[in-house]
Amino acid sequence: MAFNRQQIEEGVSEVLQEALGVDAEDVKPEATLTGDLGAESIDFLDIQFRMEKRFSTPEKPFKIEQGELFPENMLQDPAMVQNGKVTDAGMALLRQKLPHIDFSSFDGDRNVKSLSEVFTVKSLCDFLERKLAK
Amino acid sequence: MRWMWIDTVVAYEPGRRMVAVKNVSLAEEHLHDHFPDQPVMPASLMVEGMAQTAGILVGSTRGFKEKVILAKIGNVTLDSEVVPGQCIRYDAVIERMDDAGASTRGTIERLDHRTGSWERIGTTEIVFSHIDQNRGGLAFPEENFVFGENFRTLLRGAGLDRFMAQAKA
């Protein structure tokens, strides 16, 4: 593997500092991207692009497919969300599509508005570790 | 009034790079107030000029079928002022691009006619969204209001209007 965990964590910290204008000491593993680090929806695309660039090597370009890291338009589907809450089918799909995310605390109230809180610095690192190992 | 902050495109490498120029003139009304005794090209309008250059580059890459909206201005540096009589050059390249949007990097240069030399005065990072592919799933009008009549003359001058015709077909 080209990047070890420490290198991934350093890279993620750099990317978040550049994309969100936050300080290194704010980028803690448990920090949420939206709540703690102030990310807005367009920042997710910026973060994705910066991570692709940061973790690409001349031998191995690194590409993140749409919907692979963040759930994108999945939650527009009425079968996945009803009355502002993620359905059982929605939870199953989220867990299947985003295995790098810990949904245990979200599963309690399933309010779609608080879904962004599941994206933490650690979840980004977990995602990259899994993906870069392939 | 046409909200055009570039005058013409001087270089175009499809899918990769676009270079546009703007001549700064004392006849431009905004310079009369910015500032009355010392006309200086506003930095915000230089960022707009770069956004137009990079936005046309991104739009042309998909045949102007996508509505390309400026979504985020990242780091911008501007080290020097530009005054009437000088020329600005916006050199934009696409860093990354996918269905959701594109990130671009730009270099701003200025030409002083007295010395005849170009000088690099700034850099930009601009992210564009293809808004029909937005994460929120919001719907927008079908017509491509981004690359409308205002851009027609400019795109014709750059030889890019053929892509517009394809997008409409």
Side-chain angles (χ1 to χ4, degrees):
Chain A
M1 195 174 90
F3 295 94
N4 63 32
R5 181 75 189 195
Q6 191 191 342
Q7 290 168 322
I8 289 171
E9 286 173 357
E10 284 168 7
V12 165
S13 180
E14 282 170 29
V15 163
L16 294 176
Q17 287 174 56
E18 288 167 7
L20 304 176
V22 293
D23 294 328
E25 57 263 33
D26 297 328
V27 187
K28 301 185 181 95
E30 68 280 9
T32 61
L33 300 188
T34 51
D36 295 326
L37 301 180
E40 296 178 21
S41 66
I42 190 60
D43 294 317
F44 286 76
L45 182 62
D46 191 19
I47 290 166
Q48 177 199 319
F49 283 148
R50 287 177 190 270
M51 293 206 307
E52 287 177 354
K53 190 180 171 193
R54 180 64 176 71
F55 292 103
S56 282
T57 58
E59 306 79 45
K60 201 174 171 188
F62 180 55
K63 175 84 185 95
I64 300 168
E65 300 302 328
Q66 210 172 358
E68 192 181 10
L69 175 58
F70 305 116
E72 303 294 339
N73 294 340
M74 199 184 91
L75 299 175
Q76 305 308 314
D77 184 342
M80 302 300 158
V81 181
Q82 277 168 12
N83 302 321
K85 304 262 184 181
V86 178
T87 61
D88 289 344
M91 285 308 301
L93 190 63
L94 281 173
R95 287 202 162 94
Q96 180 206 331
K97 293 254 186 193
L98 310 170
H100 51 284
I101 301 285
D102 176 6
F103 285 105
S104 53
S105 60
F106 175 74
D107 208 358
D109 89 331
R110 296 190 182 186
N111 187 334
V112 76
K113 287 196 175 127
S114 53
L115 180 60
S116 59
E117 294 295 308
V118 302
F119 299 105
T120 60
V121 174
K122 180 177 178 298
S123 71
L124 286 186
C125 296
D126 291 346
F127 167 79
L128 290 167
E129 191 169 38
R130 199 181 280 246
K131 180 140 171 98
L132 289 164
K134 283 180 188 163
Chain B
M1 176 191 174
R2 288 186 167 189
W3 188 250
M4 299 301 307
W5 293 100
I6 52 180
D7 292 335
T8 193
V9 173
V10 294
Y12 176 54
E13 299 169 36
R16 201 190 89 76
R17 176 171 176 249
M18 181 172 278
V19 184
V21 292
K22 173 182 170 47
N23 293 299
V24 179
S25 162
L26 197 50
E28 292 174 65
E29 229 168 278
H30 64 101
L31 294 182
H32 301 170
D33 300 316
H34 190 282
F35 299 94
D37 297 327
Q38 194 183 351
V40 173
M41 179 71 184
S44 54
L45 290 177
M46 288 199 265
V47 176
E48 174 66 25
M50 178 61 84
Q52 293 187 355
T53 308
I56 292 170
L57 170 63
V58 171
S60 68
T61 302
R62 298 220 165 170
F64 296 108
K65 290 185 179 71
E66 297 283 356
K67 301 181 186 87
V68 177
I69 294 290
L70 191 163
K72 178 175 177 178
I73 297 170
N75 290 319
V76 172
T77 62
L78 261 177
D79 303 325
S80 302
E81 291 176 339
V82 177
V83 297
Q86 293 181 325
C87 179
I88 309 171
R89 186 158 67 186
Y90 300 109
D91 193 330
V93 293
I94 293 177
E95 285 254 282
R96 323 256 352 151
M97 183 160 181
D98 68 13
D99 288 345
S103 66
T104 65
R105 193 163 36 83
T107 306
I108 302 177
E109 298 161 295
R110 82 173 168 193
L111 171 68
D112 187 332
H113 291 285
R114 283 166 296 198
T115 62
S117 61
W118 287 98
E119 179 190 359
R120 177 174 152 150
I121 60 166
T123 58
T124 61
E125 289 176 351
I126 300 180
V127 180
F128 294 90
S129 170
H130 293 144
I131 54 162
D132 287 335
Q133 322 277 347
N134 66 88
R135 292 164 48 85
L138 300 172
F140 289 91
E142 202 159 300
E143 181 203 345
N144 197 333
F145 51 82
V146 179
F147 299 107
E149 283 303 317
N150 254 356
F151 279 98
R152 184 64 42 98
T153 312
L154 184 87
L155 293 171
R156 197 181 297 125
L160 290 170
D161 50 333
R162 62 184 191 276
F163 294 116
M164 296 281 287
Q166 285 166 13
K168 286 205 160 186

